[in-house]
Amino acid sequence: MKLVIVGRDGVLCLEREGGLASPDDWEALPGALDAVARLNHAGWQVAIAATAPQLARGRLDMAAAIAIHARMHKQLAAAGGRVDSVFFCPHAPEEGCNCRAPEPGLLRQIGARYKLDLGQVHAVGASASEVQAAHQAGCVAHLIASGRTVPAHEMAHLPAGYPPTTRVHADLATFATALIAAGERAQKHGPDTAPATA
């Protein structure tokens, strides 16, 4: 099984101040839904790792969280893609849980669910904390230059606080293109000559 773990806000959808609170807040980023569809068609399953501190603070209830993801699934299906599962941390930062980035607990839960060695899993985030969580979990870490953390024109210069092995991409579409191309090279030339990561 080939698995990609993606962050939600800033990777798949527009990040809102204070987080997503209703289905109306969900707005896919340009090219993101098609990127998931292309990954699926290339044999990759996609799981989401997200934070939802609004649950702990009473700004969001479980029904609204389900409705947000129902809208996401509907739009993905219309684009020919799918997300296999959604994992989220429901805690506020002050609770000190191990599932909120930069802690790796949520990614480890996903690895356990799929019975996968996380060293073979690509994890895509839009913030330093998400990338740090991916690195701590042992995933191949990728940063999306959403403009919030690394403007696209500064992609060649990884800011301080990011693991030096982090791969940087302009957006999820660029990541998908690189990962799919790496897989095609592996099929053509064999795993010994293909790059280990996108």
Side-chain angles (χ1 to χ4, degrees):
M1 171 199 264
K2 300 189 298 182
L3 180 69
V4 173
I5 302 172
V6 300
R8 187 189 64 187
D9 302 359
V11 179
L12 270 179
C13 70
L14 186 68
E15 185 170 22
R16 303 286 187 183
E17 186 70 30
L20 305 186
S22 77
D24 290 340
D25 289 338
W26 165 268
E27 182 180 345
L29 287 168
L33 302 181
D34 178 66
V36 173
R38 290 190 291 118
L39 287 168
N40 294 155
H41 297 160
W44 292 89
Q45 292 193 38
V46 176
I48 288 179
T51 58
Q54 307 93 312
L55 286 167
R57 292 171 174 155
R59 292 189 59 247
L60 179 73
D61 59 25
M62 192 56 68
I66 291 169
I68 289 167
H69 293 129
R71 177 169 175 153
M72 175 193 73
H73 286 299
K74 183 176 181 180
Q75 291 185 8
L76 275 167
R82 70 187 181 283
V83 164
D84 188 63
S85 57
V86 178
F87 288 73
F88 59 87
C89 165
H91 306 107
E94 60 271 16
E95 293 184 65
C97 65
N98 72 351
C99 56
R100 181 181 176 86
E103 296 300 321
L106 194 62
L107 300 181
R108 288 176 176 161
Q109 288 178 32
I110 296 172
R113 158 82 177 271
Y114 288 95
K115 298 180 173 60
L116 289 176
D117 172 7
L118 288 175
Q120 304 302 314
V121 173
H122 296 263
V124 187
S127 68
S129 62
E130 289 174 324
V131 172
Q132 289 163 359
H135 182 71
Q136 286 193 67
C139 299
V140 182
H142 298 264
L143 173 67
I144 296 299
S146 64
R148 175 169 64 96
T149 52
V150 185
H153 67 276
E154 296 179 2
M155 282 173 45
H157 308 288
L158 194 65
Y162 289 83
T165 55
T166 304
R167 277 73 173 170
V168 185
H169 309 271
D171 50 30
L172 191 61
T174 306
F175 162 78
T177 297
L179 188 60
I180 292 166
E184 290 171 348
R185 288 194 296 273
Q187 286 186 337
K188 184 175 180 180
H189 300 293
D192 293 334
T193 57
T197 61

